Amino acid sequence: MKAGAPRTSTAWAWAAVAGVIVLLWLAFSVKVPEPLPAPALPHPPRIRLVDPVVASGTLLLDPAPLFLPTRYSSARIDSPPAEPGGNFAPFPMKKAFSDAELNLSLPAAAPVPRSPADALAGDPPGAPFIGFGQSNDIVQRIDRRAAYVEVLDAGTGRSVLGVALADAQPPQGVAWQPMVLMAAVDSAGLVGPLTPETRSGVEDVDTYFERYLADDFRIGQRLQPGFYRIIVGP
């Protein structure tokens, strides 16, 4: 046992040396990642001093309208207000009219026009208001009518009759458009009923005027023998 003790100590010493070598090898083999470089800081803004001469020149060349006040064109003047009436104290009083007699230099009286139209007639150029104030036109009153009928010759298109229908009573409260009827006339009157060519858009109006023109208006007795186009409108 005593003879083997030195060998055991030597073995442990070599094992310790080997362990240290292994630890050193691992220390050099494993690399710790290097930290990322910090971002570069922006350069601080450079502070430049403004030359007062340059600033004054810039203000003088300002394209702003000249009527706007600036420190070059306006200034505040502090002045004490004057006493009431003191602004006119240095000026002597001068009367416009005499105390004894009223002397007024008035122009000669102008003739007064008889009507507004006469006053505007001389206004140059060309009297543009010459028609104002005219009252000599007589407006004729328009007779009441319920419809208007015009008869045209079917062959020539010549108008042979035009009459305003005052006693006609078509259906009220409806809007209708002009209608066209065809008629054949001989010496005894209408040859058959009126034939619609263009309707009014309202059936009651068509029926009414077909009967009214034939029976009440008696259009067959008003026309010479021939063929006609009868136009009936509001």
Side-chain angles (χ1 to χ4, degrees), residues 96-112:
F97 303 103
S98 172
D99 295 336
E101 184 180 358
L102 184 61
N103 249 341
L104 299 179
S105 300
L106 299 178
V112 179

Side-chain angles (χ1 to χ4, degrees), residues 147 149 164-169 194 206-219 222:
V149 58
L165 305 178
D167 57 345
Q169 297 180 355
L194 299 176
D206 297 339
T207 305
Y208 173 80
F209 280 110
E210 290 174 13
R211 181 198 59 78
Y212 173 84
L213 293 175
D215 300 339
D216 300 339
F217 189 68
R218 296 185 179 276
I219 195 168
R222 298 172 182 260

Side-chain angles (χ1 to χ4, degrees), residues 1 3-13:
M1 297 296 292
R7 293 182 178 178
T8 303
S9 299
T10 304
W12 279 107

Side-chain angles (χ1 to χ4, degrees), residues 11-64:
W12 279 107
W14 282 108
V17 172
V20 172
I21 294 174
V22 171
L23 290 176
L24 291 176
W25 178 80
L26 290 175
F28 286 104
S29 298
V30 177
K31 294 183 179 180
V32 179
E34 298 179 359
L36 297 176
L41 296 177
H43 295 287
R46 297 180 179 178
I47 301 176
R48 297 181 179 179
L49 298 178
V50 179
D51 189 355
V53 177
V54 176
S56 301
T58 304
L59 292 176
L60 290 176
L61 297 177
D62 186 7

